[in-house]
């Protein structure tokens, strides 16, 4: 178990929902367990923490940032598009983008999943496809919501890892592998700070990292799903926590 004070504190951004008429912020247990299972100390981050004074007080307490998936979509005006977004979560957008900018500025380790990867793309000047299904070149990347959850998170398509980046270093010798897929949007253009780490066979970006950063990885698939059972998922998460432990140790030296 180790000393709880040696565990890196990982901020996990919450999602806004309405449950029985009450505005609620939630976190899915699979994300929390994924962080716990590799030795991180997850701390839920409500959207109010984006307030500048609170945000300034929060950052020194974080050794890592974790951006989970969500059925909500990033607001299109944040990447220069018009039109409403019926499934928006503005509070999440605001906090996530502030955390991504802080992660880049302070070199705080960052792990982003699905919507989290899309937030990385938008926060660094990129754009999104709002409806992949409207573009004939792409596979079906959405889950079948009629299926049981276990089948929704089953492997759906392959991804090809690009050599020489963070992902290929985390999973050496594994250039192609199957991933689950539960997203209707995807990365369209990337800003100069991001590197493509993997693509699906239809060419869609499936993983990105930040140039010249110890660990800032975004993936479009869901490695948190049964993460303790899949070696590849565990390697990504263990790499993240190792980077967070290094960040914590450096803070303790200062
Ligand atoms: N809404 C975006 C991102 C999709 C996403 O994050 N899906 C996962 C939701 C459930 C979970 O957290 O496992 C899109 O549709 O592209």
């Amino acid at each position: 178990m180790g000393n709880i004070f040696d565990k890196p504190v990982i901020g996990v951004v919450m999602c806004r929902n309405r449950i029985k008429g009450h505005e609620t912020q939630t976190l899915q247990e699979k994300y929390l367990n994924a962080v716990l299972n590799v030795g991180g100390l997850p701390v839920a981050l409500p959207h109010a923490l984006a307030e500048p004074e609170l945000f300034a007080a929060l950052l020194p307490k974080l050794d890592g940032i974790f951006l989970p998936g969500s059925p909500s979509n990033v607001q299109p005006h944040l990447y220069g598009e018009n039109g409403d977004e019926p499934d928006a979560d503005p509070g999440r957008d605001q906090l996530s983008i502030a955390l991504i900018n802080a992660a880049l500025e302070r070199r705080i380790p960052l792990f982003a999943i699905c919507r989290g990867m899309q937030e990385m793309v938008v926060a660094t000047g990129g754009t999104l496809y709002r409806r992949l299904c409207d573009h004939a070149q792409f596979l079906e990347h959405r889950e079948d919501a009629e299926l049981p959850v276990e089948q929704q998170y089953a492997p759906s398509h392959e991804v090809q890892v690009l050599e020489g980046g963070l992902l290929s270093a985390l999973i050496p010798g594994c250039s192609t592998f199957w991933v689950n897929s539960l997203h209707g949007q995807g990365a369209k253009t990337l800003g100069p700070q991001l590197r493509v780490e993997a693509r699906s066979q239809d060419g869609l970006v499936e993983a990105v990292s930040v140039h010249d950063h110890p660990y800032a990885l975004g993936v479009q698939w869901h490695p948190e799903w049964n993460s303790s059972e899949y070696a590849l998922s565990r390697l990504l998460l263990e790499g993240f926590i190792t980077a967070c432990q290094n960040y914590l140790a450096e803070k303790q030296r200062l």
Side-chain angles (χ1 to χ4, degrees), residues 74 140 149 186:
V74 179
E140 178 54 81
V149 169

PDB file of all heavy atoms in Angstrom, residues 74 140 149 186:
ATOM      1  N   VAL A  74     -17.280  19.098 -26.696  1.00  0.00           N
ATOM      2  CA  VAL A  74     -16.634  20.406 -26.535  1.00  0.00           C
ATOM      3  C   VAL A  74     -17.446  21.449 -27.314  1.00  0.00           C
ATOM      4  O   VAL A  74     -17.910  21.190 -28.435  1.00  0.00           O
ATOM      5  CB  VAL A  74     -15.187  20.372 -27.051  1.00  0.00           C
ATOM      6  CG1 VAL A  74     -14.523  21.745 -26.909  1.00  0.00           C
ATOM      7  CG2 VAL A  74     -14.369  19.313 -26.306  1.00  0.00           C
ATOM      8  N   GLU A 140     -17.169   3.651 -38.639  1.00  0.00           N
ATOM      9  CA  GLU A 140     -18.110   3.963 -37.553  1.00  0.00           C
ATOM     10  C   GLU A 140     -17.313   3.917 -36.243  1.00  0.00           C
ATOM     11  O   GLU A 140     -16.820   2.849 -35.851  1.00  0.00           O
ATOM     12  CB  GLU A 140     -19.259   2.963 -37.526  1.00  0.00           C
ATOM     13  CG  GLU A 140     -20.238   3.196 -36.391  1.00  0.00           C
ATOM     14  CD  GLU A 140     -20.780   4.622 -36.356  1.00  0.00           C
ATOM     15  OE1 GLU A 140     -21.707   4.905 -37.131  1.00  0.00           O
ATOM     16  OE2 GLU A 140     -20.271   5.422 -35.547  1.00  0.00           O
ATOM     17  N   VAL A 149     -23.073  -2.967 -21.984  1.00  0.00           N
ATOM     18  CA  VAL A 149     -21.890  -2.107 -21.839  1.00  0.00           C
ATOM     19  C   VAL A 149     -20.604  -2.858 -22.168  1.00  0.00           C
ATOM     20  O   VAL A 149     -19.717  -2.339 -22.856  1.00  0.00           O
ATOM     21  CB  VAL A 149     -21.837  -1.524 -20.403  1.00  0.00           C
ATOM     22  CG1 VAL A 149     -20.498  -0.851 -20.133  1.00  0.00           C
ATOM     23  CG2 VAL A 149     -22.976  -0.532 -20.198  1.00  0.00           C
ATOM     24  N   GLY A 186     -14.081  13.762 -33.535  1.00  0.00           N
ATOM     25  CA  GLY A 186     -12.671  13.377 -33.662  1.00  0.00           C
ATOM     26  C   GLY A 186     -11.809  14.558 -34.051  1.00  0.00           C
ATOM     27  O   GLY A 186     -12.307  15.608 -34.469  1.00  0.00           O
TER      28      GLY A 186
END
